[in-house]
Amino acid sequence: MKRPRSYSRVTKQTLSILGKLIKAGRLERELTAAELSERAGISRKTLRNIENGEAGTEIGIVFEVATLVGVRLFDVDDRAGAMHSAHLEEKLTLLPKRVRPSRQEVDDDF
Amino acid sequence: MKRPRSYSRVTKQTLSILGKLIKAGRLERELTAAELSERAGISRKTLRNIENGEAGTEIGIVFEVATLVGVRLFDVDDRAGAMHSAHLEEKLTLLPKRVRPSRQEVDDDF
DNA sequence: TCAAATTGGGCATTTTAAGACTCATTAGAC
DNA sequence: GTCTAATGAGTCTTAAAATGCCCAATTTGA
């Protein structure tokens, strides 16, 4: 055992759904695994891992492939994309930049 | 330069938004980076990469952290999660299992 | 039915992320 | 203003992902 990492059910399901969305998108566009993987600049095996919902693939690659087959996680298109992001930015500036240093028993742990 | 991988704007924006959502979720729950990273079983540096929208983190870890702070990509909760997945499964069975071997000039390439 | 092409999976190698440690910076409670 | 702790960032080591190659299995068009 090297690094036995565990994933929650929600994580596994999310990965599975995303993989299936990507595979469906690829088939709808009639792209072979070889074609899509080449366009994405990855190997055919990595694409298969993604479509199978494997947890180990790096997220940038997965999102890139998703984008290539038209799967969008947020309402991000090239124009309005920054909007959603800006709203988040605003929210982040409203939130404290750090968690309060002095613990004061929030009893949030259980 | 080893493997200069490039990511589309949509991919970068998606990563950025997801990272900000996670950071916002962490701050709202008043978790320090150390606390959240420990709960996720990852290092503080990896968490920072995620919140900064870096592309290199493995997707399972990112989704796990997102789950921990309440960020859901799909409407996946522990009960109904399989439903969405089942619908996709159905869609996938309807689609051809493979792309047609004989290319017939779909002129989709440009 | 047949055959071409896609898909699936193992294996060795290369590339890279993740971890652990340290130190500098900065926010924010007092 | 001060002091504490959270954050940001760099380096080195280690573990694992990604690749490329191979060949087997399966689909599907003809």
Side-chain angles (χ1 to χ4, degrees):
Chain A
M1 287 175 268
K2 313 293 176 66
R3 195 165 65 191
R5 213 186 297 270
S6 65
Y7 302 98
S8 71
R9 178 179 305 173
V10 173
T11 293
K12 291 177 189 168
Q13 286 180 346
T14 303
L15 285 169
S16 174
I17 290 173
L18 182 55
K20 285 171 184 166
L21 283 172
I22 288 174
K23 182 164 192 172
R26 175 174 70 83
L27 292 179
E28 283 173 352
R29 297 180 177 223
E30 294 188 346
L31 292 169
T32 66
E35 287 169 340
L36 179 55
S37 58
E38 188 189 350
R39 292 192 189 185
I42 62 176
S43 71
R44 211 156 52 84
K45 171 163 283 195
T46 300
L47 175 59
R48 184 140 23 89
N49 286 339
I50 293 172
E51 292 186 345
N52 286 348
E54 301 290 330
T57 310
E58 69 173 79
I59 194 169
I61 295 180
V62 179
F63 283 7
E64 191 68 21
V65 173
T67 300
L68 283 172
V69 296
V71 174
R72 302 294 152 90
L73 274 66
F74 307 114
D75 53 347
V76 176
D77 67 89
D78 294 280
R79 291 171 296 175
M83 207 187 63
H84 193 171
S85 188
H87 179 252
L88 265 176
E89 204 70 69
E90 181 186 2
K91 182 174 185 179
L92 275 176
T93 56
L94 291 183
L95 286 168
K97 292 182 186 60
R98 330 192 144 183
V99 175
R100 62 164 79 71
S102 66
R103 313 266 67 201
Q104 61 175 17
E105 298 303 322
V106 196
D107 84 286
D108 179 38
D109 284 31
F110 69 106
Chain B
M1 283 176 271
K2 312 293 177 63
R3 196 165 63 192
R5 215 185 295 270
S6 66
Y7 302 97
S8 70
R9 178 177 304 173
V10 173
T11 294
K12 291 177 189 168
Q13 286 180 346
T14 304
L15 286 169
S16 174
I17 290 173
L18 182 55
K20 285 170 183 166
L21 282 172
I22 289 174
K23 182 164 192 170
R26 175 173 70 82
L27 293 178
E28 283 173 352
R29 299 183 175 221
E30 296 188 345
L31 291 169
T32 67
E35 286 169 340
L36 178 55
S37 57
E38 187 189 351
R39 292 192 190 186
I42 62 177
S43 72
R44 210 157 53 85
K45 166 165 276 193
T46 300
L47 176 59
R48 182 139 29 82
N49 287 339
I50 293 171
E51 292 186 346
N52 286 348
E54 302 290 331
T57 310
E58 69 173 78
I59 193 169
I61 295 179
V62 179
F63 283 7
E64 192 69 21
V65 173
T67 299
L68 283 172
V69 296
V71 174
R72 301 295 153 90
L73 274 66
F74 306 114
D75 53 346
V76 176
D77 67 88
D78 294 279
R79 291 172 295 176
M83 206 188 64
H84 193 171
S85 188
H87 178 252
L88 265 175
E89 203 70 67
E90 181 186 0
K91 182 175 186 179
L92 275 175
T93 56
L94 291 183
L95 285 169
K97 292 183 187 60
R98 327 192 147 183
V99 175
R100 62 163 82 69
S102 65
R103 313 268 63 200
Q104 62 176 16
E105 299 305 322
V106 195
D107 83 287
D108 180 37
D109 286 29
F110 70 106

